[in-house]
């Protein structure tokens, strides 16, 4: 709720909030990739556990900011009048808003499931490898994706 109110207050800068959220998510992912691929360089700056905690905190904050903006933008996506210029009745508008919110949730859940399935495919059989080889395959597959 506080973030929703913040989005309402700075509505004309909503596109910057979307970029801010995406930036926080990207930084979180880059920290994780760097911890796998360049661990020594990362631990020279800060302990690995602290990097991990920072990464784990940044991603949800980014997602929450983007979700608050997306929820606020759904109001703009639903038309107020029909093709003839007549306003929709409140029940129809409520149904359109509900549909918009539902489609957004389906997109988020569908994207998460798709990413999970890709990870299952990429990392199938890694658990059976010896420890050094398992780490190398993880770093290789992450480097390959970037």
């Amino acid at each position: 709720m506080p973030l929703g109110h913040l989005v309402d207050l700075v509505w004309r800068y909503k596109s910057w909030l979307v970029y801010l959220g995406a930036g926080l998510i990207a930084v979180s992912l880059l920290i994780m990739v760097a911890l796998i691929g360049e661990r020594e360089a990362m631990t020279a700056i800060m302990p690995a556990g602290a990097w991990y905690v920072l990464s784990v905190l940044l991603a949800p904050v980014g997602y929450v900011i983007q979700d608050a903006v997306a929820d606020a933008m759904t109001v703009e996506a639903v038309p107020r009048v029909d093709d003839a210029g007549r306003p929709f009745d409140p029940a129809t508008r409520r149904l359109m808003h509900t549909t918009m919110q539902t489609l957004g949730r389906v997109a988020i859940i569908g994207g998460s499931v798709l990413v999970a399935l890709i990870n299952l495919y990429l990392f199938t059989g890694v658990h059976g490898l010896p420890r050094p080889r398992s780490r190398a395959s993880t770093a290789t597959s992450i480097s390959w994706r970037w």
Side-chain angles (χ1 to χ4, degrees):
M1 284 177 41
L3 280 176
H5 182 65
L6 175 68
V7 169
D8 291 340
L9 290 176
V10 294
W11 185 243
R12 70 171 126 154
Y13 302 110
K14 66 183 174 278
S15 61
W16 290 103
L17 290 174
V18 171
Y19 285 120
L20 173 65
L24 291 174
I25 295 165
V27 168
S28 171
L29 293 172
L30 289 172
I31 289 171
M32 289 297 193
V33 169
L35 279 175
I36 293 171
E38 301 294 330
R39 187 179 182 97
E40 293 79 25
M42 297 292 284
T43 55
I45 299 169
M46 211 164 55
W51 280 114
Y52 179 79
V53 169
L54 178 63
S55 175
V56 168
L57 291 174
L58 287 177
V61 171
Y63 283 116
V64 166
I65 290 171
Q66 286 194 325
D67 188 54
V69 174
D71 282 347
M73 290 174 70
T74 59
V75 175
E76 291 181 344
V78 174
R80 296 173 189 256
V81 294
D82 62 13
D83 292 337
R86 293 181 303 257
F88 286 109
D89 62 283
T92 302
R93 289 214 45 208
R94 182 175 181 182
L95 178 62
M96 290 191 295
H97 282 287
T98 303
T99 302
M100 185 66 70
Q101 289 286 321
T102 302
L103 291 174
R105 297 299 179 246
V106 167
I108 290 170
I109 294 169
S112 298
V113 169
L114 181 63
V115 168
L117 291 173
I118 290 169
N119 277 320
L120 283 174
Y121 173 74
L122 288 175
F123 294 111
T124 299
V126 171
H127 67 278
L129 296 173
R131 188 106 172 133
R133 190 110 187 266
S134 173
R135 284 187 180 170
S137 68
T138 304
T140 303
S141 65
I142 287 175
S143 299
W144 172 79
R145 282 188 261 169
W146 287 94

